Amino acid sequence: MMTKAETKTAMSADLFELMQEHEQVVFCNDPETGLRAIIAIHNTTLGPAIGGTRMRNYETTEEALEDVLKLSKGMTYKCAAADVDFGGGKGVIIGDPSKDKTPELFRAYGQFVESLNGRFYTGTDMGTVLEDFVHSHKETNCIAGLPEEYGGGGETSIPTALGVLYGIKAVSKTLYGTENLLEKTFSIQGLGKVGFKVAEHLLKEGANLYVTDINPDMINALVQKGELMGRSVIPVQGDDIYSVPADIFVPCAIGGIINEQTTEQLKVKAITGAANNQLLHESLAVTLKEKGILYAPDYIVNSGGIIQVTDELYTPNKERVLKKTKAIYHSLLEIFAQADERNITTIEAANTMCEQRMATRRRRNSFFSPRKCAKWDVRH
């Protein structure tokens, strides 16, 4: 049996093993407000880390840590793909967003963000809203994605949903030779801030939908919209969404939903959605390729939000954001072409593109490092 000291050493080794790819992981604890949070900074090659903070009632601290590590790594690749001058980071707050939120909790969180001295910028994510970070902003300038009345760019779900639409059109162009979505059928999982807007875009394009969500009110609202527009919106119960006969599956809820079981059920030609980390593990991209299912890497498709919040730090400009978001379409076409030409998965093609971009920028950022740092000091 191990002694206490040996047990502590083993736990420490395991923790460092988990975060070996990351530059920094910060555990935030404020008993007075009830704040328990983790901030993970994965890579700052391209600039200060940026990533939203989600609030979720994680069952264990280990689950929260695993989530923030995975999400922050995804942000590094997302920033590289979107060609913005930021690296990857993420924050998670452990708690029930419907019960545990207080202004004091988010002010305490803002103090922890500020303690990182400009290495991490954050804003809204799953379980949090823009107004939460108005409180955090009182403690730090390192908040992105503020409401417009506070000088921010406003709701990030708008460019995110538009980026998903561009992604779907790139997939349609690759599969069918046309961007036209008229009479195409889509299965949408999740009708939250982004998913509902994606569904609205698709209805306007003349598509028909299968939809599922834990909130029946959102489903009913979309069914009514479909009726007004003369389009079919068919509600589906929970996991049945994986087996409906649609053209394209659009996951817009939680991650890890593409696994060994769900891939067996899929009857679609492609997957293109807003959810982060859709593949339970990247090797599933091989399974999808073998099944003839075109996978649009999620961190490319859902990058509209990060494009807006990083652009906001230069002063908000909606037209500039929309113009940058259109690049998602062309990035995906390039990735699909590379994957086909080299007979590799679309994930491999996307990762290679991002890693090459970071390698090039690493040399340039190292050369210009003093000027690079000064660029961000102006916000403090």
Side-chain angles (χ1 to χ4, degrees):
M1 181 179 291
M2 288 193 296
T3 65
K4 268 189 182 178
E6 289 172 333
T7 301
K8 286 183 178 179
T9 301
M11 289 176 66
S12 298
D14 290 342
L15 183 58
F16 279 102
E17 183 74 22
L18 282 172
M19 56 177 280
Q20 63 179 334
E21 294 184 23
H22 289 68
E23 294 178 10
Q24 187 175 9
V25 177
V26 179
F27 286 78
C28 313
N29 183 45
D30 187 62
E32 187 174 335
T33 62
L35 175 70
R36 293 185 301 149
I38 309 173
I39 296 170
I41 295 175
H42 177 257
N43 187 298
T44 56
T45 297
L46 300 181
I50 193 166
T53 295
R54 64 176 49 182
M55 187 170 185
R56 182 177 159 195
N57 205 15
Y58 294 97
E59 291 186 7
T60 64
T61 303
E62 289 75 15
E63 183 186 3
L65 177 62
E66 183 180 350
D67 200 27
V68 76
L69 292 177
K70 192 171 184 179
L71 290 166
S72 57
K73 181 178 179 179
M75 286 304 303
T76 294
Y77 284 83
K78 184 181 293 190
C79 288
D83 198 20
V84 298
D85 293 331
F86 286 83
K90 204 74 176 183
V92 296
I93 297 174
I94 301 171
D96 187 336
S98 66
K99 299 177 182 178
D100 299 330
K101 285 184 182 181
T102 64
E104 291 76 18
L105 183 145
F106 278 91
R107 288 194 70 154
Y109 183 66
Q111 290 177 324
F112 281 103
V113 172
E114 179 65 13
S115 74
L116 292 168
N117 198 31
R119 277 176 54 78
F120 176 61
Y121 285 74
T122 193
T124 185
D125 198 273
M126 185 185 297
T128 60
V129 295
L130 299 181
E131 288 69 23
D132 295 329
F133 293 94
V134 170
H135 303 297
S136 299
H137 190 50
K138 294 175 182 177
E139 304 293 341
T140 179
N141 284 329
C142 297
I143 300 297
L146 286 166
E148 292 183 66
E149 59 268 29
Y150 285 88
E155 182 54 67
T156 57
S157 63
I158 296 173
T160 303
L162 187 60
V164 175
L165 179 65
Y166 287 135
I168 287 170
K169 289 195 171 189
V171 166
S172 180
K173 179 72 173 177
T174 302
L175 290 177
Y176 306 111
T178 177
E179 299 174 19
N180 192 336
L181 305 180
L182 184 66
E183 298 301 338
K184 295 288 190 305
T185 303
F186 298 85
S187 51
I188 304 178
Q189 181 186 53
L191 297 176
K193 290 184 288 188
V194 175
F196 195 90
K197 292 181 179 66
V198 172
E200 289 180 308
H201 281 308
L202 292 173
L203 289 176
K204 289 176 185 175
E205 294 283 336
N208 298 309
L209 311 177
Y210 291 97
V211 298
T212 189
D213 192 86
I214 58 174
N215 186 346
D217 292 338
M218 301 306 292
I219 293 176
N220 292 336
L222 194 65
V223 169
Q224 291 175 14
K225 280 183 175 287
E227 289 174 350
L228 290 173
M229 300 172 72
R231 309 313 308 172
S232 171
V233 178
I234 301 174
V236 175
Q237 291 295 317
D239 291 349
D240 290 347
I241 196 69
Y242 299 116
S243 58
V244 297
D247 290 297
I248 298 175
F249 175 43
V250 186
C252 295
I254 60 172
I257 47 86
I258 303 300
N259 54 47
E260 285 79 4
Q261 290 72 42
T262 56
T263 51
E264 289 296 318
Q265 301 174 53
L266 291 171
K267 298 176 182 176
V268 295
K269 298 179 180 66
I271 300 172
T272 316
N276 287 310
N277 300 321
Q278 294 164 23
L279 304 182
L280 186 61
H281 46 82
E282 288 193 358
S283 61
L284 286 162
V286 176
T287 304
L288 293 175
K289 185 175 183 293
E290 290 171 349
K291 286 176 64 72
I293 298 175
L294 181 62
Y295 178 67
D298 50 64
Y299 66 79
I300 308 286
V301 175
N302 64 20
S303 60
I306 199 65
I307 289 170
Q308 175 168 301
V309 296
T310 54
D311 186 86
E312 174 186 310
L313 295 173
Y314 296 93
T315 66
N317 185 308
K318 290 183 178 180
E319 289 184 8
R320 189 169 62 211
V321 169
L322 294 179
K323 183 177 181 179
K324 289 181 178 180
T325 303
K326 287 182 180 179
I328 292 171
Y329 174 87
H330 300 288
S331 293
L332 281 174
L333 289 182
E334 180 183 346
I335 287 165
F336 295 153
Q338 284 294 315
D340 186 58
E341 182 180 325
R342 298 170 56 197
N343 193 30
I344 59 176
T345 68
T346 53
I347 279 286
E348 290 174 296
N351 288 352
T352 299
M353 179 189 77
C354 294
E355 287 159 6
Q356 288 175 343
R357 188 167 289 171
M358 284 190 284
T360 300
R361 201 74 58 81
R362 183 178 289 111
R363 295 191 292 272
R364 187 170 300 159
N365 284 2
S366 177
F367 186 77
F368 290 109
S369 56
R371 188 181 304 172
K372 186 78 174 178
C373 293
K375 177 180 179 180
W376 304 106
D377 286 345
V378 297
R379 289 191 59 80
H380 293 276

